[in-house]
Amino acid sequence: MATSKASAKWEGGFKDGKGSMKPAHGAESSFSFGSRFEGQPSSNPEEFIGAALAGCFSMALSVGLEGAGQKAKSIRTSAEVHLEKQGDGFAITTIDLTTEATVPGLDPAKFQEIAEATKKGCPVSKVLAAAKITLKASLTP
């Protein structure tokens, strides 16, 4: 089976430090206390989690659709990852997925069924099962 790698580094204290994250085959992305907790521009670990879930879900949805005899022309998925203060720390409490797929001739009810099964079954969803993951799925012409 495949093994994926990534790395991160942090320099300095919690509030005044800075860090970077890098997937093995991608661009390095910087982050800080401000970008993670105060909405300042730059990346943060939660964006990487959202991107991983959106990517995994989109690919897994294509598999589910093909298993039902349908082939998507396109699938676009976004994720909103909610990080909230809880006690002395923080927790990812909810991830809102929104997906739009163009699948000619597919019944909307069948699409919803496949999308919900995909939300539960994609590998990244499984590892993130501690967070509530919502899904809004729609077909486009």
Side-chain angles (χ1 to χ4, degrees):
M1 295 305 325
T3 301
S4 298
K5 297 180 181 183
S7 61
K9 65 180 177 181
W10 185 263
E11 297 172 348
F14 177 57
K15 287 195 174 182
D16 66 346
K18 61 183 177 179
S20 65
M21 303 167 287
K22 184 180 183 319
H25 303 290
E28 186 171 84
S29 186
S30 63
F31 69 108
S32 67
F33 177 90
S35 69
R36 192 161 189 204
F37 302 107
E38 297 175 336
Q40 293 177 4
S42 197
S43 192
N44 58 60
E46 292 72 31
E47 286 182 347
F48 276 67
I49 290 169
L53 180 56
C56 182
F57 178 88
S58 293
M59 183 181 247
L61 182 56
S62 74
V63 171
L65 290 166
E66 287 180 6
Q70 300 290 325
K71 189 169 185 174
K73 283 180 135 183
S74 67
I75 300 169
R76 297 172 90 78
T77 305
S78 63
E80 291 183 14
V81 180
H82 300 270
L83 180 68
E84 297 180 13
K85 180 108 171 88
Q86 290 190 341
D88 292 339
F90 294 87
I92 294 172
T93 57
T94 305
I95 302 172
D96 297 318
L97 282 178
T98 300
T99 193
E100 293 181 344
T102 303
V103 189
L106 181 61
D107 173 65
K110 184 66 176 172
F111 175 70
Q112 291 297 323
E113 177 187 321
I114 295 167
E116 283 295 331
T118 300
K119 181 186 79 165
K120 294 174 188 159
C122 98
V124 175
S125 289
K126 288 178 183 177
V127 79
L128 296 174
K132 177 183 174 186
I133 302 173
T134 67
L135 171 66
K136 188 181 297 181
S138 61
L139 288 170
T140 58

